[in-house]
């Protein structure tokens, strides 16, 4: 028997860091790899209204959209190649939250996964970047005054949920956050 705590971690991070309740929301995923798979199914099951998935490899985005639609028929899913600028522009304008779920930003010299100027189309779009360090996406969004957060809270809530599943005890979230922040 096993559990994935990734989706729960993202759900809680969106709620606590960005004030987003999932039900009925349109979520734009940049990337269709492991992080998007692990969280997309969970968010669809929690009532997301629409998941828009874009990826460099369109077949991966399509496969993920198809799988989520089959598992959560109440959630509308769409897929497009990351290079489809017109679709990305439309989706940025339609979305409530953009979830950056690629590895872009793990290294300091990584380039953003899409043209960041597109964010100017929707200044109230909320931004979540799964990387838990400053990335070009987060820096750009913050400079625009957008509501955004990194993956730190997701990681903390994932760990907290795992702790609770393993021990049956309530996780010490603030102590975990303090420990993460003390890492330097």
């Amino acid at each position: 028997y096993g559990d994935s705590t990734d989706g729960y971690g993202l759900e809680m991070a969106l709620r606590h860091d960005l004030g987003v309740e999932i039900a009925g929301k349109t979520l734009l995923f940049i990337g269709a790899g492991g992080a998007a798979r692990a969280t997309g199914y969970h968010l669809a099951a929690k009532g997301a209204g629409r998941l828009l998935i874009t990826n460099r490899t369109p077949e991966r985005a399509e496969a993920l959209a198809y799988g989520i639609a089959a598992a959560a028929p109440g959630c509308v899913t769409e897929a497009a190649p990351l290079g489809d600028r017109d679709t990305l522009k439309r989706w940025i304008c339609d979305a409530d939250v953009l979830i950056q779920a690629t590895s872009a930003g793990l290294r300091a010299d990584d380039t953003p996964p899409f043209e960041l100027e597109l964010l100017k189309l929707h200044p109230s779009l909320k931004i979540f970047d799964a990387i838990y360090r400053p990335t070009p996406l987060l820096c750009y969004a913050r400079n625009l005054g957008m509501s955004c957060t990194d993956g730190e809270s997701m990681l903390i809530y994932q760990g907290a949920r795992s702790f609770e599943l393993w021990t049956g005890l309530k996780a010490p979230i603030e102590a975990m956050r303090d420990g993460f922040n003390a890492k330097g």
Side-chain angles (χ1 to χ4, degrees):
Y1 177 79
D3 282 292
S4 171
T5 59
D6 293 7
Y8 173 84
L10 178 55
E11 178 188 3
M12 293 297 105
L14 293 176
R15 178 179 296 154
H16 293 284
D17 291 1
L18 298 175
V20 173
E21 295 296 332
I22 298 306
K25 294 295 188 276
T26 297
L27 309 173
L28 169 54
F29 277 89
I30 306 296
R37 278 193 309 274
T39 58
Y41 280 93
H42 177 88
L43 298 176
K46 289 295 183 175
R50 195 167 159 219
L51 294 185
L52 310 170
I53 305 163
T54 184
N55 195 62
R56 286 179 306 172
T57 308
E59 297 80 17
R60 288 186 81 180
E62 291 164 6
L64 180 57
Y66 179 81
I68 290 171
C75 182
V76 174
T77 61
E78 296 178 51
L82 188 53
D84 182 345
R85 189 174 191 272
D86 290 336
T87 298
L88 187 57
K89 283 171 61 174
R90 184 170 32 85
W91 283 1
I92 284 173
C93 291
D94 291 348
D96 296 298
V97 180
L98 182 146
I99 299 165
Q100 197 296 109
T102 74
S103 61
L106 280 174
R107 294 185 318 252
D109 62 342
D110 282 347
T111 58
F114 66 95
E115 184 184 340
L116 297 181
E117 283 202 4
L118 295 176
L119 296 177
K120 291 178 180 177
L121 296 169
H122 188 4
S124 61
L125 177 67
K126 296 181 188 263
I127 309 290
F128 174 85
D129 194 325
I131 306 298
Y132 37 93
R133 62 184 292 278
T135 64
L137 169 62
L138 289 176
C139 293
Y140 190 88
R142 284 187 180 117
N143 285 338
L144 291 178
M146 299 176 83
S147 180
C148 56
T149 192
D150 64 25
E152 177 184 317
S153 284
M154 178 179 164
L155 181 64
I156 290 168
Y157 286 111
Q158 285 174 267
R161 183 70 184 130
S162 294
F163 177 87
E164 290 169 355
L165 289 169
W166 295 333
T167 66
L169 303 172
K170 183 167 174 44
I173 300 263
E174 289 312 312
M176 295 170 76
R177 191 174 307 281
D178 290 345
F180 191 91
N181 291 329
K183 72 176 177 36

